[in-house]
Amino acid sequence: EIQLQESGPGLVKPSQSLSLTCSVTGYTITSGYDWSWIRKFPGNKMEWMGYISYSGSTNYNPSLKSRISITRDTSKNQFFLQLNSVTTEDTATYYCARSGYYSGVDYWGQGVMVTVSS
Amino acid sequence: DIQMTQSPSSLPASLGERVTISCRASQGISNNLNWYQQKPDGTIKPLIYYTSNLQSGVPSRFSGSGSGTDYSLTISSLEPEDFAMYYCQQDASFPFTFGSGTKLEIK
């Protein structure tokens, strides 16, 4: 069974960096698919932040392009999100997910709530 | 970015009722439209991909249709576990974008 699990601090101070880990079991992230970070803001708006493909290429939402980095550790079958210079507007629940062409997101993590506050 | 307009934002309905949620894209998305269900605990379940294909394990009371810019999700007969938030999402063009959500509530 494929499972994705987010981990990371639930509280980040403004101007600092937000760092999250997605641990994947049941599927090797270099075998296929795109591995994404998606967030849901208070009030229900959802935003696709970016992804790293199975080959290691990345694609970022232009709204975040200067602040975001998605990387991976293939030996641990994990991928990571770093979001720099956070503000209170980055308070959200962050999800990692697997997606592919013509398949949408077929696996989601359970989500981790991150609050940006001093 | 492609804007996704989802309606209604709230949908009161009764058990056994047939309901439809709509999603309109700001430009044609060639059937690259997916649907998700979110429960109050935050868990998100994929429902439908590429307009009309059910994800694994999704009951047949769920169906999707549409083309061009207009798409819909239909639940043929509501079960208690169906009362949740629903989102459409396009993956025709990056950045992929979501609708604003529909809260399906018990009437």
Side-chain angles (χ1 to χ4, degrees), chain A residues 2 24-33 35 54 74 77 98:
Chain A
I2 298 169
V24 181
T25 56
Y27 192 88
T28 302
I29 62 174
T30 56
S31 294
Y33 294 92
W35 303 88
Y54 70 94
T74 57
N77 214 38
R98 185 183 92 161

Side-chain angles (χ1 to χ4, degrees), chain A residues 38 40 43-51 59-62 95 99-100 102-110, chain B residues 1 32 34 36 38 41-46 49-50 55 85 87 89-91 94-101:
Chain A
I38 297 166
K40 182 182 177 187
N44 296 330
K45 178 185 173 184
M46 294 190 71
E47 179 180 61
W48 199 300
M49 302 178 71
Y51 63 81
N59 201 358
Y60 301 136
N61 192 319
Y95 295 89
S99 64
Y102 306 120
S103 67
V105 172
D106 58 354
Y107 288 93
W108 294 80
Q110 66 183 32
Chain B
D1 298 4
N32 290 287
N34 310 304
Y36 306 98
Q38 185 176 36
D41 67 358
T43 58
I44 301 177
K45 178 181 179 180
Y49 65 96
Y50 201 62
Q55 292 278 5
M85 284 288 291
Y87 291 91
Q89 174 253 324
Q90 66 81 19
D91 55 8
F94 196 81
F96 307 143
T97 48
F98 291 85
S100 55

Side-chain angles (χ1 to χ4, degrees), chain B residues 32-62:
Chain B
N32 290 287
L33 191 284
N34 310 304
W35 292 94
Y36 306 98
Q37 176 194 68
Q38 185 176 36
K39 290 294 184 74
D41 67 358
T43 58
I44 301 177
K45 178 181 179 180
L47 294 176
I48 288 173
Y49 65 96
Y50 201 62
T51 297
S52 59
N53 298 277
L54 264 59
Q55 292 278 5
S56 177
V58 174
S60 59
R61 63 181 180 273
F62 291 89

Side-chain angles (χ1 to χ4, degrees), chain A residues 49 58-69 83-84:
Chain A
M49 302 178 71
T58 55
N59 201 358
Y60 301 136
N61 192 319
S63 69
L64 299 167
K65 199 154 193 175
S66 61
R67 298 198 292 138
I68 189 174
S69 177
L83 186 66
N84 299 322

Side-chain angles (χ1 to χ4, degrees), chain B residues 55-94:
Chain B
Q55 292 278 5
S56 177
V58 174
S60 59
R61 63 181 180 273
F62 291 89
S63 63
S65 64
S67 63
T69 60
D70 293 323
Y71 298 84
S72 62
L73 170 71
T74 297
I75 309 173
S76 61
S77 180
L78 284 170
E79 298 284 338
E81 61 268 30
D82 299 337
F83 292 94
M85 284 288 291
Y86 291 85
Y87 291 91
C88 61
Q89 174 253 324
Q90 66 81 19
D91 55 8
S93 173
F94 196 81

